Amino acid sequence: MLINDTNVKSFRMTKVFRENTERINACDFNKNGDLLISSSDDDTIVVYDCEAGLPKRPIPSKKYGCDMIRFTRSGEQALHCSMKVDDNIRYLSLSDSKYIRYYTGHTKKVRSLAVSPIDKSFLSASADRTVRVWDLRSALCQGLIITPGNPVVDYDPDGLAFGIGIDSQIIGLYDIRNHEKGPFEMLKYECEGDFEWTHLKFSPNGKMILVSTNTSLILLVDAFSGVLLHTFTGHQNTKNVPLEASFSPDSKYVFCGSTDGRIHIWRTTDGEKLTTFTTDNTSDSIQCVQFNPKSFMLATASTNMVFWLPPVDDD
């Protein structure tokens, strides 16, 4: 199905999963789009079969908690950060629900995790004001970048560069092969208001960077020139939570939840709002919205996980 205005506006709630008792704090599709994984404040990881439309058995993480869940490139393992006991990152085998490795080094909560689209490396950004470069095969940190403020991080879609959002005002662009030499580009932004950058994402076509905040403001930036293209507003965030906005696979639309149970959709071409969807529970925050990378499907996460599909043609 083509991703266009008409079809995007046709999304309907199709399945609601009530596997969690507290907020789902993150979710992620694997690269094939057949699986979705989520982490929750109730210390539970859930994997969903997107083709069958069913949840698989939950994986408990009671001792350490779980946040920032991300599939690895293979889709057979996942990474998540801790919410209790320590600030380590954990590498989980999904086939037997056992941990393969712990990555130790951060001294405060990990705020951002990004998995390389081309190899076995990943990035972590922490409230300890460091970004660390890792290799899945080693518990030893492969690179350390000290930042002047709280960072968020993401790879570009080619996996050759990464961006670090620093102190809610600067984006530093780094060559993955020479990151120790510092950024090859620094982009600075001055926006009015008291807010904190909570997520940074490159668009699938690599031309834009999306910056989510803990307020009702999202920034869309040109990844090459650094020009601020659009600001997206109008979604409620009265609780100052880290709502995670995301792109459609063609990079033409941006999706974000809100604290009043609505999903907002904007066009990246002109910055205009396309439509708003309303869920059954307007008191529940939509923490995360993700578009399936391979099929015409949305997943939205609050306390419940919801799958959105277009109407079925009876013909």
Side-chain angles (χ1 to χ4, degrees):
M1 180 177 281
L2 292 174
I3 304 176
N4 57 33
D5 287 5
T6 300
N7 289 336
V8 168
K9 288 192 287 187
S10 75
F11 274 122
R12 299 291 182 270
M13 292 177 61
T14 304
K15 292 205 171 185
V16 180
F17 303 100
R18 297 177 172 85
E19 306 301 306
N20 298 101
T21 58
E22 295 185 41
R23 177 188 71 122
I24 296 171
N25 50 47
C27 63
D28 188 40
F29 284 103
N30 68 346
K31 66 178 182 179
N32 295 325
D34 58 334
L35 296 175
L36 176 75
I37 196 167
S38 68
S39 54
S40 170
D41 291 350
D42 66 8
D43 306 332
T44 304
I45 296 165
V46 180
V47 179
Y48 297 85
D49 184 324
C50 298
E51 295 178 348
L54 294 171
K56 298 189 175 185
R57 63 184 178 86
I59 302 171
S61 182
K62 298 298 181 185
K63 182 175 180 180
Y64 301 104
C66 49
D67 195 1
M68 295 289 170
I69 192 84
R70 296 290 184 266
F71 273 112
T72 60
R73 196 164 62 95
S74 70
E76 298 173 355
Q77 301 89 25
L79 291 165
H80 72 82
C81 65
S82 310
M83 296 185 71
K84 298 182 287 187
V85 181
D86 57 36
D87 300 294
N88 296 342
I89 301 162
R90 292 177 158 74
Y91 183 23
L92 175 68
S93 169
L94 298 176
S95 60
D96 57 10
S97 303
K98 293 183 179 179
Y99 287 107
I100 302 169
R101 192 165 290 115
Y102 297 163
Y103 304 94
T104 303
H106 286 301
T107 57
K108 292 186 178 179
K109 179 175 171 50
V110 174
R111 307 176 71 242
S112 186
L113 278 178
V115 176
S116 169
I118 62 170
D119 58 26
K120 292 184 179 294
S121 66
F122 71 95
L123 303 166
S124 60
S126 167
D128 64 11
R129 298 189 172 189
T130 66
V131 171
R132 290 177 180 263
V133 183
W134 307 88
D135 187 305
L136 286 170
R137 296 163 292 190
S138 172
L140 298 176
C141 176
Q142 306 296 303
L144 175 66
I145 300 170
I146 299 173
T147 63
N150 281 336
V152 287
V153 68
D154 192 28
Y155 283 96
D156 85 316
D158 294 325
L160 301 178
F162 61 90
I164 302 177
I166 305 167
D167 210 20
S168 301
Q169 58 182 343
I170 298 170
I171 298 176
L173 300 178
Y174 293 74
D175 185 327
I176 190 66
R177 296 159 297 186
N178 298 297
H179 59 81
E180 66 279 357
K181 295 182 179 179
F184 61 81
E185 190 76 58
M186 291 285 279
L187 313 174
K188 188 169 184 178
Y189 303 92
E190 295 182 5
C191 297
E192 294 183 1
D194 183 17
F195 57 85
E196 181 179 23
W197 293 3
T198 56
H199 299 86
L200 183 146
K201 288 187 180 182
F202 280 87
S203 60
N205 64 11
K207 295 180 179 180
M208 296 169 285
I209 298 173
L210 188 67
V211 179
S212 304
T213 75
N214 65 342
T215 66
S216 55
L217 173 68
I218 303 168
L219 309 178
L220 185 68
V221 175
D222 187 297
F224 300 108
S225 68
V227 170
L228 178 62
L229 299 173
H230 304 294
T231 57
F232 303 128
T233 60
H235 57 294
Q236 188 181 105
N237 191 358
T238 55
K239 302 174 185 177
N240 296 116
V241 295
L243 302 176
E244 183 177 359
S246 62
F247 288 100
S248 58
D250 63 357
S251 305
K252 292 182 179 179
Y253 300 92
V254 165
F255 300 78
C256 190
S258 64
T259 53
D260 60 358
R262 292 179 171 85
I263 297 100
H264 297 254
I265 305 170
W266 298 267
R267 288 189 294 260
T268 59
T269 51
D270 58 11
E272 294 297 315
K273 183 174 289 187
L274 175 65
T275 190
T276 302
F277 299 142
T278 302
T279 59
D280 293 337
N281 189 352
T282 57
S283 64
D284 204 1
S285 298
I286 307 295
Q287 173 74 25
C288 180
V289 183
Q290 299 286 354
F291 201 118
N292 190 306
K294 296 298 183 181
S295 63
F296 200 82
M297 168 195 171
L298 271 185
T300 61
S302 53
T303 304
N304 303 327
M305 180 65 71
V306 180
F307 287 0
W308 300 70
L309 295 169
V312 176
D313 191 344
D314 294 333
D315 295 334

